[in-house]
Amino acid sequence: MVLINGKREHTLNVADRGFQYGDGLFETIAIDNGRLIFLDQHLQRLQHGCQCLLIPCPDLGLLAQEASRLAQQQAQAVLKIIVTRGIGGRGYRQPDSIVATRILSLHPYPNYPEHFKQKGIAARFCQTRLGLNPSLAGIKHLNRLEQVLARAEWCDPEIQEGLMLDGLDRVIEGTMSNLFFIKDHALITAPLNASGVAGIVRERIVQLARTHAFPVTEQYFTQDTLLAADELFVTNSIIGLWPIRQLQQKLFPVGKYTQKFMAWLARSL
Amino acid sequence: MVLINGKREHTLNVADRGFQYGDGLFETIAIDNGRLIFLDQHLQRLQHGCQCLLIPCPDLGLLAQEASRLAQQQAQAVLKIIVTRGIGGRGYRQPDSIVATRILSLHPYPNYPEHFKQKGIAARFCQTRLGLNPSLAGIKHLNRLEQVLARAEWCDPEIQEGLMLDGLDRVIEGTMSNLFFIKDHALITAPLNASGVAGIVRERIVQLARTHAFPVTEQYFTQDTLLAADELFVTNSIIGLWPIRQLQQKLFPVGKYTQKFMAWLARSL
C-alpha cells in the first residue's frame, strides 16, 4: 500500500524532482506488532534533513497520522517515508514556491534468519568509496548510487553486509548500516561529518553507552584497526543490531559487550 | 510529451529505483530546427554510463527512433532521456534480472537572451563542493543533490552560473556546465576522474582544439588561477558555449580565442 500526498496511489509524475535529481530524502521505519519503532526520532531526523536540503518539511503530525494508518495494515512490516522537493524549478534551480511530495509505502519485513542476531553475520570490505561531502553527510537523502554500486560488488549469499571506506581510506559504515567496534573495553564509531548516514539506532547506541557510563568515542579508523578490534557490530532501524562474526578472513566472537548493547537496545525499544 | 518505455504516459511507479535511489542516468539534448544535436554522442555516452553503473542499456536504435518521434513535435526544444535500473531488488541490492526503465520527455527551449552568447555571462563561486568519487565521476547520473544545493546558493538573476570546487579546493565545473579557460594562448579544463560530468560539448571543444592544433590540457586549477586567466567560458548541450564576462568582481573580455572556439563549435554542429 502506498500513500502519495495522502492519497492511495502508486505512480508519481516523472517531473517530480525526486525522480529527476534524487532531490529528496527518506526514512525506513520498522513496524513491530503494529508499533512504529522510533517513529519520533525518524520524524525528527526527516525534519532536520529537510532543513539541510532547504525542503519545507511536511507537517510531522500529518506524517505520523499517515504512518499510523499504514501501520494498522500489518503487524510486522517496514514503512518507508520519502519526501521530495516536488515538481518545478528550472533545471537544478529549485522552484520559487516548493510544495514537497510525501510518499509513505508499506513493505514486507525482510525474513532475516534469527541466527544473524545471535551468531552474527559475515561482512566484507567494498571497493566503492563514499564521496566526501560535508553538505550531504549524515543526511538520509535519495542520492544512493554509491550504496547501489557497493552492494553490487558481491552476490555471495553468505555475506550479509559490505563495509565502505571514504576517499581517505577511513572505514565509515556499511552499505545499509552503521558500524561500531569494541577495543580495550571502549566503543568506537566513525564521525559522520564528511560522509555516511546518521542512523537512528546508531544514535541510540551512543546514548545507551553514555547512559551506562560505557566509554564511547567518534573517531576515524582504518581497515587494519577494524580487523584488530575485539568485537564488531552493525546497526540499522530494521535489523536493530547484528554482531559481525567474520570480516574478510578474520573471525570475531559475539562478545560480552556486544551482547550488553544488544540487551540495552532491546529494552529501549 | 513524455514516452515511458515507448508509451505516452507521464507517471511512473514509485517503486522505480530511479526514484528510490537516484539509480539511473540521463541525457539532455538540444533540438534545433527539428534536428537532435549530437544525438549519436549522447547515446554513446548514455551507453557508456550504463556500463559503468551495470545497467543494461536500452537498444540505441530504439532510443534514437523514440527521440526522433518526439523531435518531430517541436522545432526548438530540449529532449531529456532518463534510463533507470527499473523496479526490484532488495534495498540497495539490484534485481537479479534488470529491466531498465526509459523515459523520454520534451521540454521548452529555455529563453536565454542572445547577449549571453555574444557578451558573456556573470558567474560566481559556490560554497557547495563536489564530492570526490572516482566510480561516479564523469557520469551524468541521477544523483544531483550537490548541483541542486549549489544552484540554491544564489537567486540574483544577473548571475547565470555557479562554479563548483571539489573537496580539494580544485575548480571543476559549473552547476550545469563544463568550464574552460585560456591562459597564455592555451586552453585548459579540469580532469573529470574524481568528480564532474563529462559533457558532450566539452569533449567536442577538446576535439576542436586538437583538430586546429590549439594547445589544450586537462589539469587541476585553483580559484586564483582561474581569476588570473585571459578568457573564460562554459559549455553544455543546450547553451553551446557562453563566455564568462564576470567572475566574482573580476571582469574578462570575450576574447579572440573564445570567439574562435565559438565559431568552430557552430560550424561543427
Side-chain angles (χ1 to χ4, degrees), chain A residues 37-50:
Chain A
I37 306 300
F38 294 139
L39 176 64
D40 287 351
Q41 289 86 338
H42 282 283
L43 293 180
Q44 290 299 326
R45 180 174 64 173
L46 186 66
Q47 189 175 47
H48 173 72
C50 281

Side-chain angles (χ1 to χ4, degrees), chain A residues 10-12 14 19-22 80 90 92 103 110 112 129 131-133 142-146 151 175, chain B residues 10-12 14 19-22 80 90 92-93 103 112 129 131-133 142-146 175:
Chain A
H10 68 281
T11 67
L12 188 72
V14 291
F19 183 67
Q20 297 285 324
Y21 308 121
K80 189 164 178 178
R90 177 157 155 178
Y92 299 130
I103 295 133
Y112 297 123
R129 298 299 177 101
L132 296 166
N133 197 321
L142 291 177
N143 282 197
R144 290 292 154 209
L145 269 172
E146 290 168 352
R151 186 58 191 84
T175 62
Chain B
H10 67 279
T11 66
L12 188 72
V14 291
F19 183 67
Q20 297 285 323
Y21 309 122
K80 189 165 177 178
R90 179 159 155 174
Y92 299 128
R93 183 176 174 177
I103 295 134
Y112 298 123
R129 298 299 178 101
L132 296 165
N133 197 321
L142 291 176
N143 281 198
R144 291 292 153 207
L145 269 171
E146 289 168 352
T175 62

Side-chain angles (χ1 to χ4, degrees), chain A residues 78 108-117 121 160 176 236 238-240 242, chain B residues 90-91:
Chain A
V78 172
Y109 201 86
N111 54 345
Y112 297 123
E114 194 54 29
H115 65 80
F116 285 178
K117 247 190 167 58
I121 61 158
Q160 281 77 45
M176 62 163 195
N236 82 22
I238 308 305
I239 65 176
W242 282 349
Chain B
R90 179 159 155 174

Side-chain angles (χ1 to χ4, degrees), chain B residues 27 40 66 85 89 94 118 133 156 235:
Chain B
E27 294 292 330
D40 287 351
E66 292 179 353
R85 204 182 306 272
Q94 58 183 14
Q118 289 148 2
N133 197 321
D156 180 350
T235 60

